[in-house]
Amino acid sequence: MRTKVTLVLVFLNVALFYVIFFVQEKWKPATDTSVILGPEVANIQSLTVTDNTTGATTALERRGEKWFQTQPLAWPANELAVRTIISELQFLRPISQFPVADLEKSGLSLATYGLEKPPLTLSFTPATSPGAPAPAPVLVRIGNSTDVSNYLYILSPDGTRIHVVPRTLAESLSRTLQSMRSDELFTIRVFEARSLNLEPAAGSRVRFRRENDKWFIEGLSISLTRANKQLTELALADLRALRVHSFVNPTAPEAEAARAALATPALRITIEGNNRRETLLLGPVAPAASVPSESASQPATLNPQLPDSPPEPATLRYALMETDETGGTTPARATLFTVSIRDKFLNGTLLNAQRELREKQILDLDPSTLSSITIASPQSTQELVLQRLDTSNAWQIVLRNPGREVQTQPADRSIVETLIASLVRLSVDDTPENPGFIDVASEAQKEEFGFNRPARTLTFTGPPAQPPVRLLIASSQDRRTYARLASQEYIYRISDEILRELPVDPLHYRERLLRELPASTTLTALKLTDLSNDTVVLDTSLPLPADTTLNREAIESLATQLRTLRAKNFTATEFTKTVTTAGEERGWKYRLDASLTSTPTSAPVTSTLFIADRSGGGIQLVGSPEFNAVFEAEQPLIEALFPLTYGPRDPGPPPAPAPTATPAP
């Protein structure tokens, strides 16, 4: 039984095989899937499109990886348009076809299909290996449209067959001459640019050079200075946004005069990239002198124009382009065109680039790598050092007093970081009326501006591999403030505010948080003594009993302030037994003793604060032997102390006036 089943299955498989490979082939419609053009279309070197109706011819040539138009004008080609044509040729397949030899039998000819004198012809030359003879051009004639308008007739290169193909080929070839040309001027992208050279006819050459991620200016009276990276790259982006406005007919009367003027251009702009460079020569104003900004390049600005704002004025100028891709064309052979450029960009940015694009931020510091800041002043005998302790951004104050040991105190991190932020933002106060850059300052100028005795000398220390940076800040005879880096020979005018932000007093930078008790530490008792008469104002254990008659709110608030003890400002570098209040040297008014225990079984530790009389509504001095400090109390501590120290003497608010009886009507 199994043998019979096996034989039946084998027979069915053989039958199925026969149907698939013999019978099914006869069911397929006969279609021609062959391409019209041969393998030579895969590597085209040159391409010519002729419109026989108008006589216009566009010739294109590949140089390296780029395409250039050589006729009617020499100019870089529109890469997308050229690649679209090549793609159409590579994948050109007939919908149907018939031999030319059969036309005569039907009483037809090439003229019937528009192929005897075709309206459009295309010829291309394939690339060859070096030294090989140049191959003959491949000619494709494109005739009339078929009765179905989506197709047209073309003649095969050997002239033996007529093909019916989609009319997308003709649409690609019928592009206007303008669309075959690229309208770009600069093709070097911002990230690729290595330098920007500006050579005005009236003025000196200025060169911007990139080093790693920074830009520098060469060509000033000084040897080298920093350029503003963001503004420089925005200027490069604006240059890349420039487009050809129109090409000038070389036989036009104005063309010769424009070329002569461009022999000494108003501005020569050169961008250098990776092994290539491009140069734009800007010449005189073209006849259509003023054009709306819509036809000019759009500014690559961080703050684009609002929709309702008036357009920026722009001017049309004659120009020439020199690029390495065109073999280093010279102005005598280059194509003349016009370009619309915004007046503000040309006159404000490019022609004043050494000022407009110069870095106005004085210090080039990375706050995260700073290890110390030294502040010195001729009015102070001590040198103040702010030193980073570790990578957690903890800072300390290092005091170096002549004849005394070096002292250290914790620094307030927020104050130090605010200071660093102000110094990083320190910039030149530069206006057209009052220039902020003084280049190549003489020794006499340095003395005139106060640098013989600078108000502040700051030294910034970073990674060991980098040398320290010294910044000098001085006040001139005209009471203006100037800054100068010790390694440079030029001076900056800056805002006067910086000196107020740079006190040399170490108390200004000291850590305001004196104590923050951990949760395991308990405040067990408070005792407040009036030292003027040695009387106890308050003596209580904590927490307060439920039936206490004491001011619970004031005592609990005071206990909270003692757990996290902060200073508003420090007034002395160390604790003293007397304090100046209301202009008089006096002893402390109160002593506040707080008992602290870290565990239930440990012996209590007493923490003592001395409190002075209030000097005003918001000032009350506090002294701490434990922290060796005298400081102004913060307002919450002042308010917690008031009911306990002044409360018994406070008469309270005046009584409300008795209500006046209203007479009966």
Side-chain angles (χ1 to χ4, degrees):
M1 183 66 182
R2 291 182 178 178
T3 303
K4 291 182 179 181
V5 172
T6 302
L7 291 173
V8 170
L9 291 176
V10 170
F11 175 78
L12 291 176
N13 282 327
V14 171
L16 180 62
F17 178 83
Y18 178 81
V19 169
I20 292 174
F21 287 95
F22 293 96
V23 177
Q24 190 177 7
E25 283 295 321
K26 299 178 181 179
W27 297 344
K28 291 183 180 180
T31 58
D32 189 354
T33 59
S34 62
V35 293
I36 297 173
L37 301 174
E40 66 274 5
V41 77
N43 190 14
I44 296 177
Q45 181 65 30
S46 64
L47 186 69
T48 302
V49 180
T50 303
D51 186 339
N52 295 310
T53 305
T54 63
T57 298
T58 302
L60 305 167
E61 179 182 302
R62 190 177 68 181
R63 299 173 185 172
E65 295 299 321
K66 294 185 177 295
W67 283 88
F68 290 84
Q69 188 182 85
T70 58
Q71 189 179 348
L73 293 173
W75 194 258
N78 184 325
E79 294 285 335
L80 178 61
V82 176
R83 294 186 191 282
T84 300
I85 294 173
I86 293 175
S87 178
E88 289 283 350
L89 295 174
Q90 288 175 341
F91 298 101
L92 187 62
R93 287 181 171 83
I95 302 300
S96 64
Q97 56 181 306
F98 47 89
V100 174
D102 294 346
L103 295 180
E104 189 176 351
K105 299 175 185 178
S106 306
L108 303 175
S109 66
L110 291 177
T112 307
Y113 303 98
L115 294 171
E116 186 174 354
K117 294 180 179 180
L120 202 64
T121 58
L122 178 147
S123 66
F124 63 87
T125 304
T128 58
S129 57
V138 177
L139 179 66
V140 179
R141 299 182 184 185
I142 301 170
N144 297 335
S145 298
T146 64
D147 293 337
V148 180
S149 59
N150 288 333
Y151 301 97
L152 51 80
Y153 300 104
I154 69 170
L155 186 64
S156 62
D158 59 7
T160 61
R161 303 189 74 80
I162 296 175
H163 302 278
V164 178
V165 298
R167 64 173 298 106
T168 53
L169 173 63
E171 292 171 353
S172 299
L173 297 177
S174 298
R175 293 178 184 270
T176 63
L177 297 180
Q178 191 76 5
S179 68
M180 287 290 189
R181 290 191 292 261
S182 172
D183 61 353
E184 285 186 316
L185 297 180
F186 290 103
T187 63
I188 298 175
R189 299 183 181 275
V190 174
F191 67 85
E192 182 194 349
R194 294 293 172 262
S195 71
L196 168 64
N197 298 273
L198 302 171
E199 299 180 55
S204 56
R205 171 180 174 271
V206 178
R207 182 171 187 259
F208 293 78
R209 173 167 54 86
R210 187 205 294 268
E211 288 186 6
N212 298 322
D213 198 38
K214 297 178 181 179
W215 284 88
F216 295 89
I217 307 177
E218 298 175 348
L220 297 174
S221 51
I222 52 178
S223 58
L224 189 71
T225 187
R226 289 185 300 138
N228 184 285
K229 179 179 185 293
Q230 185 181 55
L231 295 180
T232 302
E233 294 185 351
L234 281 175
L236 285 167
D238 277 344
L239 289 171
R240 256 206 112 234
L242 292 175
R243 294 292 183 266
V244 174
H245 184 273
S246 61
F247 289 92
V248 180
N249 187 336
T251 62
E254 66 272 14
E256 186 176 351
R259 284 186 179 278
L262 281 163
T264 54
L267 179 63
R268 179 188 293 267
I269 306 168
T270 301
I271 300 177
E272 295 182 4
N274 295 327
N275 300 319
R276 63 188 182 123
R277 66 177 180 178
E278 298 170 335
T279 300
L280 172 65
L281 310 181
L282 279 180
V285 175
S290 183
V291 295
S293 64
E294 286 79 2
S295 61
S297 63
Q298 295 300 313
T301 176
L302 296 177
N303 300 306
Q305 290 187 156
L306 297 176
D308 297 333
S309 61
E312 290 187 30
T315 301
L316 203 64
R317 291 180 173 272
Y318 290 110
L320 292 172
M321 198 73 192
E322 296 178 349
T323 64
D324 284 347
E325 288 84 355
T326 57
T329 54
T330 63
R333 293 185 290 130
T335 300
L336 185 66
F337 61 93
T338 61
V339 59
S340 178
I341 186 166
R342 291 177 294 112
D343 297 340
K344 182 179 179 181
F345 179 53
L346 175 61
N347 300 318
T349 301
L350 298 179
L351 293 178
N352 291 289
Q354 63 183 26
R355 178 166 168 251
E356 292 297 321
L357 303 184
R358 188 169 178 176
E359 179 60 76
K360 294 180 173 61
Q361 182 178 305
I362 296 174
L363 291 169
D364 184 17
L365 295 176
D366 181 359
S368 64
T369 63
L370 279 178
S371 59
S372 70
I373 305 172
T374 302
I375 307 174
S377 169
Q379 285 78 32
S380 176
T381 57
Q382 64 182 1
E383 186 179 65
L384 172 66
V385 179
L386 301 173
Q387 187 178 69
R388 191 195 299 267
L389 292 176
D390 49 39
T391 56
S392 65
N393 281 338
W395 291 78
Q396 71 175 4
I397 304 167
V398 181
L399 297 175
R400 297 170 181 167
N401 294 308
R404 298 180 60 179
E405 293 184 356
V406 175
Q407 296 178 310
T408 61
Q409 295 174 344
D412 191 294
R413 173 178 167 180
S414 63
I415 292 177
V416 175
E417 289 181 347
T418 300
L419 171 66
I420 293 174
S422 296
L423 291 169
V424 169
R425 291 193 306 268
L426 183 63
S427 59
V428 181
D429 188 4
D430 181 56
T431 62
E433 297 78 19
N434 295 298
F437 296 99
I438 299 141
D439 295 328
V440 193
S442 64
E443 293 302 321
Q445 283 179 308
K446 293 177 185 177
E447 184 173 349
E448 178 186 350
F449 294 140
F451 286 103
N452 57 327
R453 186 178 168 82
R456 298 287 187 278
T457 300
L458 289 86
T459 305
F460 304 92
T461 305
Q466 296 181 3
V469 176
R470 289 184 65 224
L471 176 68
L472 311 177
I473 300 176
S475 294
S476 66
Q477 297 173 0
D478 59 1
R479 300 184 177 231
R480 290 182 176 177
T481 306
Y482 295 88
R484 184 175 77 85
L485 290 168
S487 60
Q488 298 173 350
E489 290 301 317
Y490 41 93
I491 295 172
Y492 307 105
R493 186 165 64 85
I494 60 174
S495 171
D496 301 336
E497 293 294 325
I498 190 62
L499 287 177
R500 286 186 279 274
E501 298 177 17
L502 279 170
V504 188
D505 186 358
L507 299 177
H508 173 76
Y509 304 97
R510 186 168 175 179
E511 173 62 74
R512 265 56 172 173
L513 180 62
L514 296 174
R515 175 177 63 206
E516 188 167 20
L517 296 177
S520 59
T521 300
T522 304
L523 197 61
T524 58
L526 287 177
K527 182 178 181 181
L528 181 64
T529 305
D530 187 338
L531 298 177
S532 63
N533 52 23
D534 202 24
T535 58
V536 176
V537 178
L538 173 70
D539 192 359
T540 181
S541 61
L542 295 176
L544 292 171
D547 58 349
T548 183
T549 59
L550 298 175
N551 189 329
R552 177 183 297 275
E553 182 180 356
I555 294 173
E556 290 179 349
S557 176
L558 178 60
T560 300
Q561 295 301 314
L562 292 178
R563 292 192 67 87
T564 304
L565 185 61
R566 292 185 60 89
K568 180 181 179 182
N569 288 307
F570 291 95
T571 61
T573 56
E574 55 188 7
F575 175 75
T576 54
K577 294 182 179 180
T578 59
V579 66
T580 302
T581 57
E584 295 183 11
E585 187 78 15
R586 303 177 183 177
W588 295 99
K589 175 68 175 176
Y590 299 98
R591 186 182 70 230
L592 177 61
D593 297 314
S595 296
L596 310 173
T597 56
S598 55
T599 63
T601 58
S602 61
V605 176
T606 301
S607 176
T608 300
L609 295 177
F610 290 87
I611 302 165
D613 275 323
R614 291 178 68 170
S615 303
I619 299 177
Q620 189 164 17
L621 297 180
V622 178
S624 171
E626 179 182 354
F627 300 107
N628 194 27
V630 177
F631 58 92
E632 293 181 15
E634 290 191 322
Q635 193 63 31
L637 179 57
I638 295 175
E639 293 174 357
L641 287 169
F642 180 81
L644 304 176
T645 54
Y646 293 94
R649 292 179 285 164
D650 186 4
T660 305
T662 305

